[in-house]
Amino acid sequence: MASGFEFDWSAAFGSVPYLLKGIPYTLLISFGGLLIGFLIGIFMGLASLSRNRLLRWPATAYIEIFRGTPILVQVLFIFYGLPDIVGGPINALTAGIAAIALNSGAYISEVVRGGVQSIDKGQTEAGVSLGLSRSQTFWSVVWPQALRRMIPPLGNQAIVSIKDTSLFSVIGVGELVRQGQIYIATTFTAFEVYFMVALLYLAITLTLSFLLRFAERRGLASS
Amino acid sequence: MEKIVRMQRLNKYFGDHHVLKDIDLEVQSGEVVVIIGASGSGKSTLIRCVNGLEEYESGELVVDQQPLEPKGGNQKSLAAIRKEVGMVFQQFNLFPHLTVKENIMLAPMKVKSTDKSAAADIAMKLLDRVGIANQAEKYPTQLSGGQQQRVAIARALAMEPRLMLFDEPTSALDPEMIGEVLDVMRELAKEGMTMMVVTHEMGFAREVADRVIYIHGGQIVEEGKPEAVFDNPQNERTQSFLSRVLKH
Ligand SMILES: Nc1ncnc2c1ncn2[C@@H]1O[C@H](COP(=O)(O)OP(=O)(O)O)[C@@H](O)[C@H]1O
Ligand SMILES: [Mg+2]
């Protein structure tokens, strides 16, 4: 190579124990945030389908706001902006989880809405014709089918959110990227370390993809 | 004779489109009424009004002694009516995420709080009655169309309805499967079930119906015993409709 660059294997491997310390934070923020985001998504997604304007309107506003602004701005707003209002500092980890929750919640609302709307109207008609109430029909007929269809887009969102946590190094959460930056500050081996950081993200997202394919196949087999 | 359905001057619109026009119709307990007519004439809309799947704009509707008011009116009786009225759809509308047996068990368990083992017994008896007890543990998509429609009939019967509505139950079936579904319906009629059946199966109508209603453009234009309607139609629209369908 013209620059005389050589991949420094010992730096790459040497960073691994360090980087691994970031993984629990990455996973905690991702999955903690996604779990809350899923609950928000169910609520807001269903609210956005409601005939009641008092439910539908705020849900639509929430979805548009959190899909229409960058997650980086959202987390900066929560971490640096909100303390001015709540009158005390917000823990970086909490801010990260909240940002993933609110951001993924907006996308998951759309996933929920699409999933529910994709179920044929005949299913609801069959349910209510049997004497089930609207809510019984929804929860025992429509929702289980919608949930199954939601698995691929939910998996997609999980992968996006896991990668989004890499932005939270800016607020100082000791997640994967942040750990890499700290290591690079003393060793100056950016190429090797970011290469390993990328590999670790890939390991997480590929594992998830694999699990989701498995879940999807099992879902299909029983329907 | 007890009236199960009574419609008086019932009118239904989809937007500006006047779909049912001053329908007067009564169905007595135990009666089998077959509704025929061209596509788009309002047959589905008519029977869907009976269990409130469609709301109507004006007129009167009483189902099993319970008044169901027009759009905007009191719909409190709807839940009670739906418990007493079963419906079978052209597209079966089975629940694909549940097994055949679970499809049948769902309503008794949710609506009547029947316990699980009693609901399973009901399901197995009904599956036996429609001749597919051996398919109980399968999922609907693993069954043929004819078998699926028989499950749908069993599912509706599990609620012990006083009236069964059929909306073209054989129209989505391959020809060789129509017979098995009509056989089940014929049995049901023989056992005294009150039925309103929309169908293009004129042989079935002639044989099983107590009364045939021909509907055209949202109006009942002819009504009577099957022999009268089929062999000696009074209205020229009925004549031309029948000459078209009976040719095939
Ligand atoms: N949901 C709906 N919205 C608007 N128009 C409808 C709807 N359902 C049916 N129609 C119209 O009402 C008329 C009667 O329809 P339908 O009762 O389905 O007829 P049939 O069952 O005799 O074929 C048709 O002109 C049809 O296009
Ligand atoms: Mg129809």
Side-chain angles (χ1 to χ4, degrees):
Chain A
M1 264 177 260
S3 63
F5 176 83
E6 256 185 64
F7 193 87
D8 182 346
W9 288 101
S10 71
F13 288 121
S15 71
V16 168
Y18 219 80
L19 298 178
L20 287 178
K21 281 194 223 160
I23 286 191
Y25 287 100
T26 295
L27 293 180
L28 179 64
I29 300 172
S30 307
F31 290 102
L34 281 164
L35 189 69
I36 301 169
F38 185 53
L39 298 177
I40 295 176
I42 293 174
F43 185 81
M44 292 293 184
L46 298 183
S48 76
L49 286 168
S50 168
R51 276 182 233 166
N52 184 344
R53 248 177 273 169
L54 289 176
L55 286 172
R56 196 175 64 228
W57 198 84
T60 309
Y62 159 76
I63 294 167
E64 293 305 331
I65 289 168
F66 281 90
R67 286 197 317 163
T69 55
I71 190 167
L72 182 57
V73 174
Q74 290 164 13
V75 77
L76 291 173
F77 184 83
I78 294 168
F79 187 66
Y80 293 112
L82 271 192
D84 293 347
I85 299 169
V86 299
I90 290 175
N91 169 289
L93 191 62
T94 310
I97 292 175
I100 293 293
L102 289 165
N103 184 269
S104 70
Y107 286 96
I108 294 172
S109 300
E110 289 291 275
V111 170
V112 167
R113 195 163 71 107
V116 168
Q117 280 179 326
S118 77
I119 303 303
D120 186 72
K121 181 165 131 290
Q123 292 289 304
T124 300
E125 291 186 349
V128 298
S129 296
L130 285 164
L132 272 65
S133 69
R134 290 244 146 219
S135 76
Q136 284 175 327
T137 301
F138 182 80
W139 291 112
S140 51
V141 174
V142 177
W143 181 250
Q145 297 182 57
L147 200 55
R148 226 166 262 189
R149 290 199 192 165
M150 282 156 47
I151 292 174
L154 283 176
N156 212 28
Q157 181 56 45
I159 287 169
V160 169
S161 290
I162 289 168
K163 294 185 297 181
D164 280 347
T165 62
S166 65
L167 296 167
F168 299 168
S169 56
V170 295
I171 58 166
V173 190
E175 47 68 68
L176 203 38
V177 169
R178 177 81 182 151
Q179 291 299 109
Q181 288 171 338
I182 295 171
Y183 190 78
I184 293 165
T186 58
T187 63
F188 306 103
T189 48
F191 187 94
E192 288 80 359
V193 175
Y194 282 132
F195 182 79
M196 295 313 287
V197 167
L199 275 187
L200 287 172
Y201 275 112
L202 200 56
I204 298 172
T205 54
L206 284 178
T207 307
L208 186 63
S209 294
F210 174 80
L211 290 175
L212 284 161
R213 279 224 189 105
F214 182 71
E216 235 178 291
R217 228 177 304 134
R218 290 208 29 183
L220 285 178
S222 63
S223 71
Chain B
M1 274 255 119
E2 188 191 356
K3 290 188 189 81
I4 300 283
V5 179
R6 186 164 62 88
M7 278 181 182
Q8 277 183 321
R9 298 178 317 280
L10 185 138
N11 285 279
K12 160 81 191 165
Y13 296 81
F14 282 115
D16 294 337
H17 187 12
H18 197 174
V19 178
L20 295 177
K21 300 170 185 162
D22 280 330
I23 299 282
D24 286 313
L25 174 64
E26 288 187 352
V27 180
Q28 313 291 332
S29 175
E31 202 179 11
V32 176
V33 175
V34 167
I35 299 156
I36 61 173
S39 167
S41 57
K43 307 179 297 296
S44 297
T45 308
L46 176 67
I47 63 167
R48 287 162 59 87
C49 283
V50 174
N51 69 345
L53 285 184
E54 301 291 354
E55 294 178 309
Y56 63 101
E57 270 67 31
S58 70
E60 252 183 79
L61 174 58
V62 181
V63 182
D64 198 23
Q65 326 294 341
Q66 312 185 69
L68 180 58
E69 292 186 7
K71 193 182 262 174
N74 188 347
Q75 308 280 310
K76 278 202 186 110
S77 56
L78 195 54
I81 288 174
R82 284 174 174 168
K83 273 185 224 174
E84 303 294 335
V85 179
M87 185 159 205
V88 175
F89 302 86
Q90 183 175 344
Q91 300 298 338
F92 326 139
N93 295 343
L94 292 175
F95 307 134
H97 62 301
L98 300 178
T99 64
V100 161
K101 192 160 113 189
E102 290 165 345
N103 262 271
I104 302 171
M105 292 164 64
L106 182 70
M109 287 171 66
K110 295 275 175 196
V111 182
K112 292 185 170 172
S113 308
T114 307
D115 72 54
K116 198 171 176 180
S117 69
D121 286 347
I122 293 171
M124 290 315 297
K125 280 206 191 87
L126 286 167
L127 283 172
D128 196 40
R129 184 162 154 200
V130 300
I132 37 177
N134 55 344
Q135 312 284 337
E137 304 302 331
K138 288 194 180 161
Y139 284 89
T141 50
Q142 297 172 289
L143 270 54
S144 73
Q147 290 173 325
Q148 288 188 54
Q149 194 60 299
R150 285 187 277 160
V151 174
I153 294 172
R155 181 177 68 174
L157 291 176
M159 286 298 289
E160 301 181 305
R162 304 205 56 205
L163 166 68
M164 284 282 283
L165 307 173
F166 292 86
D167 191 359
E168 300 200 29
T170 59
S171 294
L173 298 177
D174 292 335
E176 72 271 19
M177 291 171 186
I178 292 174
E180 64 195 60
V181 172
L182 293 180
D183 285 345
V184 170
M185 293 170 62
R186 198 176 283 118
E187 277 304 306
L188 210 52
K190 226 183 266 170
E191 289 162 24
M193 177 62 76
T194 312
M195 297 162 61
M196 292 177 78
V197 183
V198 174
T199 186
H200 296 296
E201 294 297 327
M202 297 303 159
F204 174 84
R206 185 185 280 273
E207 179 197 336
V208 179
D210 296 305
R211 186 151 48 107
V212 173
I213 289 174
Y214 172 67
I215 176 168
H216 177 89
Q219 282 176 305
I220 294 177
V221 300
E222 184 134 7
E223 149 167 36
K225 294 225 167 294
E227 311 82 62
V229 174
F230 288 124
D231 301 333
N232 192 16
Q234 300 302 303
N235 189 296
E236 63 188 63
R237 294 223 174 83
T238 321
Q239 293 162 6
S240 82
F241 173 76
L242 288 173
S243 70
R244 261 179 293 135
V245 293
L246 293 178
K247 242 182 259 165
H248 304 297

